[in-house]
Amino acid sequence: MKETKTNFLRLAIDSNVLQFGEFTLKSGRKSPYFFNAGLFNTGKAIAQLGRHYADTIVSSNIEFDMLFGPAYKGITLASATASALSDKYNIDKPFAFNRKESKAHGEGGYVVGANLKGKVLIIDDVITAGTAVREAYDLIISEGASVAGLVISMDRQERGKSKISATSELEQELNSPVMSIASLEDLIFFIKEDENLKSHLPNLIEYHSKYSSL
């Protein structure tokens, strides 16, 4: 497994972003783990997370002109990623994010930051219903730009409305690639190598087998 995946999963566990137990998801499924990117809430943690996003983007060789973070979690993620791309790889790209409600005074509008133009890479945490990403896609297209792709932190690799994964469904619907720093399969491999976490392995394997895409 790539070093960036290992380091990301260790960071997520140490930051309590990745928790093990029994959690009821919005879908109603009972999950043996839960991922809450909002708990990357220190300067050190968000700086490290930004570097993991940057590593994933650079290793993918995807072409893009700017970053976009869907409100609200995507705002911090896009900012941290833009900073990491500049600091670690000398790739200086503009970024923007949206408001939930249009601002009537000042600069107005829904978009904060750089103007949406060229190939826009969306930065978000995880895909659940995909509502925020679809809204971001519509906003980007309405501004005359195009969507280069989507980068998320954790891919749960679960079936969506059909037999394929929610990630694959979104890729097909938006006609754009979706990449992740790590996936459930990466987490299972990671836990196999960690004696302190091995007790969670059976539940994770069972869950993946039950809900993974076909």
Side-chain angles (χ1 to χ4, degrees):
M1 186 163 63
K2 290 184 178 180
E3 184 178 3
T4 189
K5 294 178 182 290
T6 300
N7 291 342
F8 165 72
L9 290 171
R10 176 51 61 193
L11 172 66
I13 291 169
D14 290 347
S15 302
N16 210 35
V17 169
L18 186 55
Q19 303 174 36
F20 302 98
E22 184 176 297
F23 305 90
T24 302
L25 307 179
K26 288 183 180 179
S27 63
R29 294 172 181 171
K30 301 289 186 181
S31 173
Y33 76 105
F34 188 71
F35 185 90
N36 180 8
L39 294 178
F40 286 119
N41 54 17
T42 68
K44 182 178 181 180
I46 199 64
Q48 289 178 307
L49 179 60
R51 288 194 288 271
H52 291 316
Y53 271 101
D55 291 342
T56 302
I57 291 168
V58 170
S59 65
S60 75
N61 293 314
I62 192 168
E63 294 183 5
F64 67 102
D65 298 307
M66 65 176 295
L67 304 175
F68 182 85
Y72 288 106
K73 290 180 182 177
I75 296 174
T76 301
L77 299 178
S79 305
T81 303
S83 178
L85 283 168
S86 176
D87 184 59
K88 187 171 183 178
Y89 293 103
N90 198 30
I91 298 174
D92 189 21
K93 297 288 187 179
F95 69 94
F97 54 90
N98 65 306
R99 297 185 178 94
K100 287 290 188 180
E101 296 181 358
S102 179
K103 186 178 179 182
H105 60 281
E107 74 278 19
Y110 285 96
V111 180
V112 181
N115 293 328
L116 292 173
K117 59 183 180 180
K119 299 175 181 178
V120 182
L121 189 60
I122 302 172
I123 309 295
D124 211 351
D125 55 350
V126 294
I127 293 175
T128 48
T131 304
V133 173
R134 289 179 175 89
E135 290 176 351
Y137 179 90
D138 290 341
L139 177 59
I140 291 166
I141 298 301
S142 72
E143 293 291 319
S146 62
V147 175
L150 166 67
V151 187
I152 58 175
S153 48
M154 188 76 187
D155 184 355
R156 294 183 62 94
Q157 297 181 304
E158 294 181 30
R159 290 192 304 275
K161 297 177 182 178
S162 62
K163 293 182 178 180
I164 63 174
S165 69
T167 300
S168 296
E169 286 179 349
L170 198 59
E171 281 185 321
Q172 292 180 6
E173 181 181 340
L174 306 184
N175 194 29
S176 301
V178 178
M179 298 157 283
S180 65
I181 301 174
S183 67
L184 177 55
E185 288 181 351
D186 294 323
L187 176 59
I188 289 172
F189 183 86
F190 178 86
I191 287 181
K192 285 180 179 178
E193 304 298 314
D194 191 314
E195 290 296 330
N196 295 323
L197 297 173
K198 273 189 175 180
S199 61
H200 303 295
L201 190 58
N203 289 337
L204 286 171
I205 292 175
E206 180 184 2
Y207 186 81
H208 183 48
S209 175
K210 185 175 182 180
Y211 293 116
S212 64
S213 57
L214 301 178

